[in-house]
């Protein structure tokens, strides 16, 4: 079990806090709004009303003892930057922040955020990937340059092994998993002798431009 602090209980922060708690982790949820705190209190380990811009408040809550802090205050650049700075100075091992723009992301990275997420952008990319091809089942952006795509295999791959296809050399992606059918079990790290069959889906890791090319294969 890990321990998390979630600061900011809008839709994004509340969803993360509740899901982490459902997964069995200890979660401290913090927001200035008593109403938002009360709304999530029954779904997390602890819920506290407080101003995370004040380092004394964070110190009193013992945030330095948590494994990870998630700053879900994304609307105000100044507030999220100040909270992030406070958390880093207090020694929180990992600080993950929500940003509302690429400029906001750069600011947070400059002051030491370990990871910055841009939910609207990432969801937009994922949706666009899905809409652009009926073959794409899922897309995860790992960074601006790399992603993971789950795509129905093209007809040309049917009844061929991963070794025969030489996917890494020809397409510059790594097959990290295979799925039998749309809702079938996931075969993680399939061997080179894995034979692809109609209905299979491949989960590939690589540069975004390379994984995108897989959707154009027939």
């Amino acid at each position: 079990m890990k321990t998390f602090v979630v600061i900011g209980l809008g839709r994004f922060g509340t969803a993360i806090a509740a899901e982490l708690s459902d997964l069995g982790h200890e979660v401290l949820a913090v927001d200035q709004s008593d109403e938002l705190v009360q709304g999530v209190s029954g779904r997390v380990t602890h819920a506290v009303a407080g101003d995370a811009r004040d380092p004394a408040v964070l110190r009193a809550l013992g945030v330095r003892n948590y494994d990870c802090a998630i700053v879900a205050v994304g609307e105000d650049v100044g507030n999220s930057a100040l909270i992030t700075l406070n958390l880093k100075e207090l020694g929180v091992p990992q600080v993950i922040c929500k940003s509302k723009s690429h400029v906001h992301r750069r600011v947070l990275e400059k002051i030491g955020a370990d990871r910055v997420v841009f939910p609207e952008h990432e969801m937009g990319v994922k949706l666009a990937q899905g809409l652009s091809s009926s073959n794409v089942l899922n897309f995860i952006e790992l960074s601006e340059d790399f992603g993971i795509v789950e795509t129905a295999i093209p007809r040309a791959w049917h009844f061929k092994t991963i070794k025969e296809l030489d996917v890494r050399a020809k397409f510059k992606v790594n097959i990290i998993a295979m799925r039998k059918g749309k809702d079938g079990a996931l075969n993680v790290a399939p061997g080179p002798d894995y034979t692809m069959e109609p209905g299979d889906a491949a989960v590939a890791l690589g540069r975004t431009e390379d994984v995108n090319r897989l959707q154009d294969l027939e």
Side-chain angles (χ1 to χ4, degrees):
M1 179 183 73
K2 291 186 176 182
T3 56
F4 295 88
V5 181
V6 179
I7 299 172
L9 297 176
R11 286 176 295 180
F12 180 73
T14 296
I16 289 178
E19 183 65 18
L20 286 171
S21 183
D22 288 344
L23 291 171
H25 301 294
E26 180 181 341
V27 178
L28 167 63
V30 183
D31 197 283
Q32 291 189 74
S33 167
D34 289 321
E35 182 179 354
L36 292 177
V37 168
Q38 290 174 7
V40 80
S41 61
R43 306 177 66 187
V44 299
T45 315
H46 308 287
V48 178
D51 187 351
R53 295 172 299 181
D54 185 346
V57 171
L58 296 176
R59 193 176 296 111
L61 292 173
V63 296
R64 69 174 63 190
N65 299 317
Y66 285 78
D67 298 317
C68 176
I70 299 158
V71 181
V73 180
E75 296 306 314
D76 189 301
V77 178
N79 286 344
S80 64
L82 180 56
I83 293 168
T84 300
L85 189 61
N86 288 340
L87 292 167
K88 295 302 293 185
E89 290 182 344
L90 287 171
V92 177
Q94 184 179 29
V95 179
I96 300 173
C97 305
K98 173 189 174 184
S99 72
K100 67 175 184 177
S101 68
H102 292 293
V103 172
H104 190 182
R105 171 185 281 178
R106 287 197 291 272
V107 169
L108 294 170
E109 289 173 339
K110 287 286 186 182
I111 61 177
D114 297 288
R115 181 181 173 189
V116 180
V117 297
F118 190 173
E120 290 83 0
H121 170 73
E122 291 167 13
M123 182 55 69
V125 169
K126 186 174 180 180
L127 178 60
Q129 290 289 335
L131 293 173
S132 67
S133 172
S134 59
N135 290 335
V136 175
L137 306 176
N138 200 1
F139 180 83
I140 300 172
E141 183 186 35
L142 300 178
S143 70
E144 292 184 0
D145 298 318
F146 286 87
I148 296 174
V149 66
E150 181 178 355
T151 180
I153 63 169
R155 195 170 301 154
W157 290 14
H158 290 178
F159 308 112
K160 293 183 180 179
T161 66
I162 293 176
K163 183 178 180 179
E164 287 174 328
L165 290 167
D166 201 8
V167 176
R168 186 172 183 179
K170 293 180 180 177
F171 303 100
K172 298 180 182 179
V173 299
N174 290 308
I175 300 295
I176 59 175
M178 291 294 302
R179 189 186 300 280
K180 285 291 183 186
K182 182 179 179 182
D183 300 313
L186 200 63
N187 182 338
V188 179
D193 295 327
Y194 180 96
T195 301
M196 300 190 184
E197 299 178 354
D200 280 3
V203 181
L205 165 67
R207 289 187 174 276
T208 304
E209 59 189 47
D210 294 322
V211 296
N212 282 347
R213 290 195 190 103
L214 295 181
Q215 70 185 11
D216 297 325
L217 300 176
E218 296 295 338

